Amino acid sequence: MEQFVIQGGQKLHGELSVNGAKNHVLKLIPAAFLFDGPITIHNVPQVEDVFRLLEIVEQIGGTVNRDNRTVTITPPEHFDGKLSTELVPKLRASLVLIGPLLARYGRVELPSPGGDKIGRRPLNFFVDSFRALGAQVTERDEMYDFRGKKGLRGCEIFLPRITVTGTETIMMAAVLAEGVTVIKNAACEPEVVALGEFLMAQGAKISGIGTHTVTIEGGKLLTGGEVKVIPDRIEAGSFAMLAAATGSDLTITNCRPDHLELPLQMMMQMGVKLETTPDSIHVYGSRGDLEPIEVVTHEYPGFPTDLQSPMTILLTQASGTSHVRETIFEGRLFYTDELNRMGAKISLLDPYRILVDGPMELIGKTLTTPDLRAGIAMLIAGLIAKGTTTIQNIYHIDRGYERIEERLAAIGADITRIRG
Ligand code: EPU
């Protein structure tokens, strides 16, 4: 198993360029099954989740041509409905395939999808929505079988709570379903909007994208086209928090600060000095004491759950007690135990709330990351800690952050990948 070994305490300096958004491309790849010919996706990040999903596309019978950051996918004529029992559990986002595959080929059988250890992540909204669209869904021995040979029919779906992949999956199924589908309480995350805008540019009849009510008039395959993956707002936000936590002067380029309004505003409220242009964020190296704050994760445009862990590292450096409330996932604060072993003072009040006391000096330790975002937080903790930090299980970090050690080493970090 590979590990990162980090010597903490270095100030970083320079420029970090942001890659394409993992959570956008992971939906564009399934969208390929809505087309009657190839689609070409540009600015594809080279991360493990993308590699896994492309393997699944090939297992389905799709053709995948890769040329650096450009991927062209051609859907197959036929698909027998069976998804890989080996690959699907490695990737929660493989769920998104259900929409286009079921609507186009009439059947999808898949094992319960995997992903992060961030708490219970049920499929009930997917199952209920596809039943409403006319599919038969059965679940046995951890296998789900979605059947809709007679085709899906548009209907009105009220999602019990806002779900990103739920909204995207149903929207894609609705593009091929007969008639009109209305998704109420739909997600408005920038990745959902970017997916909808691409489908609309290729002829899909969608209105209300970016609001909580999305209407789709479906019925026929789209004609192939090209799309560019939007910048990863979570990578950009992680880098801004990394810069602030390490007191580094960094310019984060190729990003969309307008997708990060609240996190950046909260960092400034803490006392971080930063400036933005439409496509960059400059974090200034010198700063005074940081103020504690209250962070509550929320659907977009609220504070993203995916930035909760890097923000928590920054809060360990603020003077006083900060309060963090995670409202999206129930198991997403347990990594803080590992930070306490490094000298942080974080009290878990319940599965949804922590108190973070600071400023605390962190000491290098050997840590194991349970998921992607906890992994980047541990990496930032390692960069500010005294001594050596070793992070195990870094496959999780590679799932969403491309060659992170090379990019950080280029701006002065002492970080090495050890191949075990
Ligand atoms: N939920 C249900 N039933 C369902 C679906 C969702 O109860 O059938 C619940 C979830 O358990 C959760 C809430 O609804 O409590 C919202 O979760 P959502 O469905 O929005 O999450 P997701 O679509 O599975 C995506 C991102 C996550 C990101 C969340 C929230 C992708 C591939 N994943 O997950 O990204 O945290 O939205 O913004 O888009 C990450 O990149 O590290 C990551 C976990």
Side-chain angles (χ1 to χ4, degrees), residues 405-417:
E405 76 285 12
E406 291 174 25
R407 294 157 78 198
L408 295 180
I411 53 166
D414 188 340
I415 172 170
T416 326
R417 181 185 293 260

Side-chain angles (χ1 to χ4, degrees), residues 103-266:
R104 178 167 189 166
Y105 303 102
R107 181 163 181 199
V108 186
E109 199 186 355
L110 79 167
S112 187
D116 293 332
K117 289 195 175 58
I118 56 177
R120 213 171 47 90
R121 292 177 79 182
L123 294 195
N124 52 332
F125 303 160
F126 291 74
V127 170
D128 293 347
S129 302
F130 283 107
R131 283 191 175 133
L133 287 162
Q136 292 82 51
V137 188
T138 50
E139 186 204 343
R140 196 154 20 124
D141 302 333
E142 304 257 303
M143 288 294 291
Y144 288 87
D145 192 358
F146 292 79
R147 294 178 190 228
K149 282 283 177 219
K150 294 199 181 108
L152 303 180
R153 283 182 317 278
C155 66
E156 192 171 299
I157 293 168
F158 193 107
L159 291 167
R161 67 180 282 188
I162 293 177
T163 156
V164 171
T165 48
T167 303
E168 294 162 331
T169 307
I170 298 161
M171 178 166 73
M172 287 200 270
V175 166
L176 298 188
E178 282 301 326
V180 176
T181 301
V182 181
I183 308 173
K184 293 189 172 169
N185 205 23
C188 300
E189 269 63 9
E191 297 77 18
V192 180
V193 174
L195 172 68
E197 285 175 348
F198 167 56
L199 299 176
M200 285 157 69
Q202 304 313 129
K205 292 184 184 150
I206 301 175
S207 60
I209 195 77
T211 74
H212 291 305
T213 303
V214 177
T215 304
I216 307 109
E217 199 183 321
K220 61 175 187 348
L221 288 173
L222 304 175
T223 303
E226 301 202 15
V227 58
K228 184 174 175 195
V229 180
I230 61 171
D232 196 315
R233 65 192 162 104
I234 305 301
E235 186 172 88
S238 306
F239 289 165
M241 288 163 192
L242 178 156
T246 54
S248 300
D249 201 85
L250 280 189
T251 306
I252 300 150
T253 56
N254 292 321
C255 63
R256 289 278 303 264
D258 60 323
H259 289 166
L260 283 166
E261 279 188 71
L262 184 58
L264 295 178
Q265 182 180 308
M266 287 170 71

